[in-house]
Amino acid sequence: MFPTQLKQAVLAIQHLVATGVKPENIQLTGDSAGGVLVHEVLSHMLHPVADVPELTLSGPLGGAYLMSPWSSLKDSPLLHSNQGRGDILNLPTVIYWGSKVLDGVPESGIPYLDGLSAPEDWLKGVDKVVKRILISAGDAEILRDAIIKYTKTVEKHHKDVTFFLDEHGVHDDPFLLFLAGEKNKGKLTPFIVDWLDKGFST
């Protein structure tokens, strides 16, 4: 239940900083609902949530990667526009679980969980709290168009945003390739590794 996971993430980051890790060497990564959690953390840094410790750092985080972020938890035309292309998720599942995540969440908490429901200027200042952002989506996944719209919103407030559309990819495609034991990990996986590697300061 919101904001439990956000509080846990904030405490984890605070612990890293307390042990001597520099903020610029912290790169947040999350897939699907984990991508929502990355959005929550960045949102919390801009709009602190009551009862969650404030996350005040000496400098911006090194990076944030959102793989197939669950950008629309509410039913939306964007969830209907890319169906039937072989994704592992189907529309009823996405809508059902989205309603469960939002159940009982006050209206003030919705922008932290549903990126497309946030005000247009919600992420204003995000360029001050994280150096760069990578967002990826599978071309065949149901969430594709919602993720693209969310990415365009982020780009309005941050100059260093990279979007990777994984050709023929489904939801969380890199994980599936590893689990299936595929030797060819596709184009997205090496891109992710290279992007993260370049984000660590020396």
Side-chain angles (χ1 to χ4, degrees), residues 2 36 39-40 43-44 47 71 74 102 105-119 122-123 150:
F2 177 81
V36 174
H39 170 81
E40 285 183 56
S43 297
H44 175 63
H47 313 279
S71 301
K74 298 179 179 180
L102 295 175
V105 176
E107 194 65 31
S108 60
I110 300 298
Y112 297 88
L113 295 168
D114 192 306
L116 294 187
S117 293
W122 181 255
L123 291 175
Y150 173 76

Side-chain angles (χ1 to χ4, degrees), residues 139-166:
D139 188 41
E141 70 171 299
I142 285 178
L143 293 171
R144 183 196 67 182
D145 294 341
I147 295 169
I148 290 173
K149 184 175 181 181
Y150 173 76
T151 301
K152 290 179 179 178
T153 300
V154 178
E155 289 174 337
K156 293 177 182 178
H157 305 291
H158 203 304
K159 293 182 178 179
D160 195 347
V161 177
T162 301
F163 176 69
F164 192 107
L165 186 62
D166 188 19

Side-chain angles (χ1 to χ4, degrees), residues 4-45:
T4 301
Q5 291 83 0
L6 172 60
K7 184 180 294 185
Q8 292 170 336
V10 168
L11 292 174
I13 295 169
Q14 289 180 331
H15 173 74
L16 289 174
V17 173
T19 59
V21 179
K22 296 178 180 179
E24 59 264 34
N25 279 328
I26 297 176
Q27 302 194 81
L28 306 180
T29 64
D31 68 290
S32 194
V36 174
L37 184 54
V38 173
H39 170 81
E40 285 183 56
V41 172
L42 299 178
S43 297
H44 175 63
M45 295 176 77

Side-chain angles (χ1 to χ4, degrees), residues 118-130:
E120 276 293 313
D121 62 348
W122 181 255
L123 291 175
K124 183 177 181 181
V126 69
D127 56 329
K128 303 296 190 299
V129 299
V130 63

